Amino acid sequence: MILASQSPRRRDLLQLITSDFRVIPADVDESLCDGEKPDHFVSRLAEAKASAVISHANTRELIIGVDTTVSVDGMILNKPSNQDEFLSMMDALSGRTHQVYSGICVLASYRADVQVVRTDVTFRELTVEERLHYWKTGEPEDKAGGYGIQGLAARFVRSIQGSYTNVVGLPLVELEAMLNNAS
């Protein structure tokens, strides 16, 4: 298997299913298309990531492409590029329920199986001081929606409905079923 991702979180999660894989980061344009919905966005990118590394695969290798994003009120919140963008994201998430979408693509012999997983996450109200302190840790900088549920932001989460591993970045139950169907 090939994991078409440079995310250490995805690598660690995939190791819970199998250690028989190698990592080849995919270089794809992750720009949002005009009017694109979160579910379409992540499924499109997951398939693009898997397809981008196909030239490195042998004929029997499965390729896994994954993309995750956060959405609130239909607005996609990707990785914050600066503190102001991060604080705006936290304003939108504080005290509210948002959605985390992951697209998973399992590519086998040029045949793509693509699924989207959605998890609802509810944050408690966050103070300005908490938001600024969290930003200063550096943790939010490379995370969709500006937070990592598996890290310091765990204390912001009032509840989740759906897959925890989806929020981390790789929905394991769905991925394992896809891999079993592909073999």
Side-chain angles (χ1 to χ4, degrees):
M1 265 184 266
I2 296 173
L3 176 62
S5 174
Q6 62 186 1
S7 166
R9 293 166 297 282
R10 288 192 181 118
R11 184 189 62 239
D12 292 346
L13 286 170
L14 184 55
Q15 285 180 336
L16 296 174
I17 296 175
T18 181
S19 60
D20 187 21
F21 69 94
R22 56 192 176 122
V23 174
I24 301 176
D27 183 21
V28 299
D29 179 3
E30 297 189 22
S31 301
L32 184 65
C33 296
D34 287 340
E36 194 168 28
K37 302 282 186 225
D39 56 343
H40 183 266
F41 177 64
V42 295
S43 64
R44 177 177 60 82
L45 288 182
E47 191 166 0
K49 289 176 180 182
S51 297
V53 301
I54 199 163
S55 64
H56 300 283
N58 68 46
T59 56
R60 295 189 333 236
E61 276 185 304
L62 300 176
I63 303 171
I64 303 166
V66 185
D67 193 71
T68 301
T69 198
V70 172
S71 174
V72 63
D73 298 330
M75 180 177 65
I76 293 175
L77 306 178
N78 278 320
K79 299 171 186 174
S81 58
N82 57 50
Q83 180 177 312
D84 289 340
E85 194 171 295
F86 165 76
L87 291 173
S88 176
M89 288 180 183
M90 290 298 107
D91 285 343
L93 300 177
S94 180
R96 303 193 53 217
T97 299
H98 61 275
Q99 293 68 47
V100 177
Y101 291 89
S102 288
I104 313 166
C105 176
V106 174
L107 192 57
S109 302
Y110 296 93
R111 190 188 67 227
D113 179 11
V114 181
Q115 290 187 26
V116 174
V117 178
R118 173 187 154 169
T119 303
D120 291 334
V121 180
T122 303
F123 271 19
R124 65 172 172 77
E125 289 286 336
L126 306 177
T127 67
V128 173
E129 293 79 20
E130 287 174 316
R131 298 171 202 191
L132 287 170
H133 178 268
Y134 185 49
W135 175 256
K136 289 176 185 170
T137 68
E139 187 177 279
E141 293 179 40
D142 69 339
K143 313 264 187 319
Y147 76 94
I149 195 170
Q150 74 284 0
L152 298 170
R155 69 183 203 269
F156 302 155
V157 178
R158 181 173 306 283
S159 66
I160 68 168
Q161 186 171 8
S163 169
Y164 169 79
T165 59
N166 178 46
V167 183
V168 179
L170 186 64
L172 291 181
V173 169
E174 293 79 4
L175 175 61
E176 189 166 35
M178 293 169 75
L179 293 173
N180 288 338
N181 287 338
S183 347

